[in-house]
Amino acid sequence: MRRNQFLRCASSSTHRLFLFSFILLSSIPGNISSREITLGSIEIFNAHEWWPSKPIVYFSCKGENKTFLPDVKTTNFLYSFKGQESWQPLTELPEKKCKRCGIYESDTFKSDDVFDEWEMCSDDFVEGNYIHFKEKEFNATFICSDCGGGSGSQNSTIVEDKGEPSKKKTIAIVVVVSVLASIVTVLAAVFVYKYWQRRRRERDQLRFLKLFEETDEIEDEIALGHVI
């Protein structure tokens, strides 16, 4: 009888210990929630390749692997995702620290192009949603059900395209250099052609003079034969 009472007391104590441990762990932020970030939607407005081709877009945070977005293949089209795609989630955020993340376009012959880079923080999410908009580049919605905790409308970040003048300046420089290179190439071709024509005339003149000298020699031999 005492043994059965002891076993019941031990079982009850163990149950209370597990319950207390669960409540204690649940009260510590970040232990249960994973804070995984998934991509809800994205629309890119600009492709950085000079020739027509499908953009290769990927997401990456500093020190982490690239997560390519294989469904994003064209500009000015809104792509929506369920968060269950094979390449999801994009990353995982700590509770009180931010991550330096960005969206990029893979480039074949030069360094990858940057749509935008920013600090992604857990507090940026309102009701699990965060919108990041970069003027003339892209508009994306990120989802994290365990991030933030605020209420109200969705949080968003709008970034003005301050790099547009610099980009236009770079394009202008490239155009000027291309035009100068074309002019130099044409001038070089004209010079080579004129040089070749001059050399041809000189060869023709030498050939004519040689032929003329041979004709004179034949005439002299004929005249000498008549004299004899």
Side-chain angles (χ1 to χ4, degrees):
M1 184 70 177
R2 292 181 179 178
R3 184 178 178 182
N4 291 336
Q5 290 180 350
F6 174 77
L7 290 176
R8 284 198 296 268
C9 290
S11 177
S12 177
S13 300
T14 304
H15 178 73
R16 290 175 182 174
L17 179 61
F18 276 116
L19 181 61
F20 176 76
S21 300
F22 178 79
I23 295 174
L24 179 62
L25 290 174
S26 299
S27 64
I28 301 176
N31 283 335
I32 302 300
S33 60
S34 61
R35 301 181 187 275
E36 290 183 341
I37 308 299
T38 59
L39 181 63
S41 64
I42 186 171
E43 179 180 3
I44 58 174
F45 308 125
N46 179 34
H48 301 89
E49 290 284 355
W50 286 14
W51 52 87
S53 62
K54 294 181 180 180
I56 302 176
V57 183
Y58 67 89
F59 174 92
S60 180
C61 293
K62 187 176 180 180
E64 298 182 2
N65 295 329
K66 301 176 182 178
T67 301
F68 287 91
L69 312 179
D71 300 311
V72 181
K73 300 177 180 179
T74 185
T75 59
N76 300 310
F77 183 85
L78 180 62
Y79 294 90
S80 299
F81 307 102
K82 298 179 180 179
Q84 302 174 353
E85 292 76 14
S86 59
W87 43 269
Q88 301 257 38
L90 299 176
T91 186
E92 185 175 342
L93 288 178
E95 179 191 0
K96 295 183 179 180
K97 290 188 66 177
C98 303
K99 281 187 176 181
R100 185 70 178 175
C101 302
I103 293 181
Y104 310 87
E105 181 181 356
S106 182
D107 203 293
T108 306
F109 300 104
K110 57 185 180 68
S111 59
D112 293 349
D113 297 297
V114 181
F115 284 102
D116 193 24
E117 289 180 336
W118 71 96
E119 295 289 331
M120 180 177 285
C121 307
S122 176
D123 293 339
D124 291 336
F125 291 80
V126 175
E127 294 185 347
N129 294 281
Y130 166 66
I131 298 174
H132 190 89
F133 174 81
K134 176 67 179 292
E135 187 179 359
K136 298 182 181 180
E137 293 292 346
F138 74 95
N139 184 23
T141 301
F142 300 91
I143 299 173
C144 177
S145 58
D146 297 316
C147 295
S151 59
S153 59
Q154 294 179 344
N155 193 13
S156 62
T157 299
I158 299 176
V159 182
E160 295 182 359
D161 191 7
K162 297 181 180 179
E164 187 67 20
S166 177
K167 189 181 299 182
K168 290 182 178 179
K169 183 178 179 181
T170 302
I171 295 175
I173 293 175
V174 171
V175 171
V176 171
V177 171
S178 301
V179 171
L180 291 178
S182 301
I183 293 174
V184 171
T185 302
V186 171
L187 292 177
V190 171
F191 174 79
V192 171
Y193 178 73
K194 288 185 175 297
Y195 178 78
W196 175 78
Q197 280 189 325
R198 188 179 68 181
R199 293 289 296 173
R200 183 179 179 181
R201 284 196 300 267
E202 290 177 354
R203 286 197 301 268
D204 292 341
Q205 289 175 356
L206 289 175
R207 190 180 299 111
F208 177 77
L209 291 174
K210 186 177 181 179
L211 180 63
F212 185 76
E213 290 175 356
E214 292 177 353
T215 304
D216 288 343
E217 290 178 358
I218 294 174
E219 290 178 353
D220 291 340
E221 291 178 357
I222 293 174
L224 184 60
H226 284 297
V227 171
I228 296 173

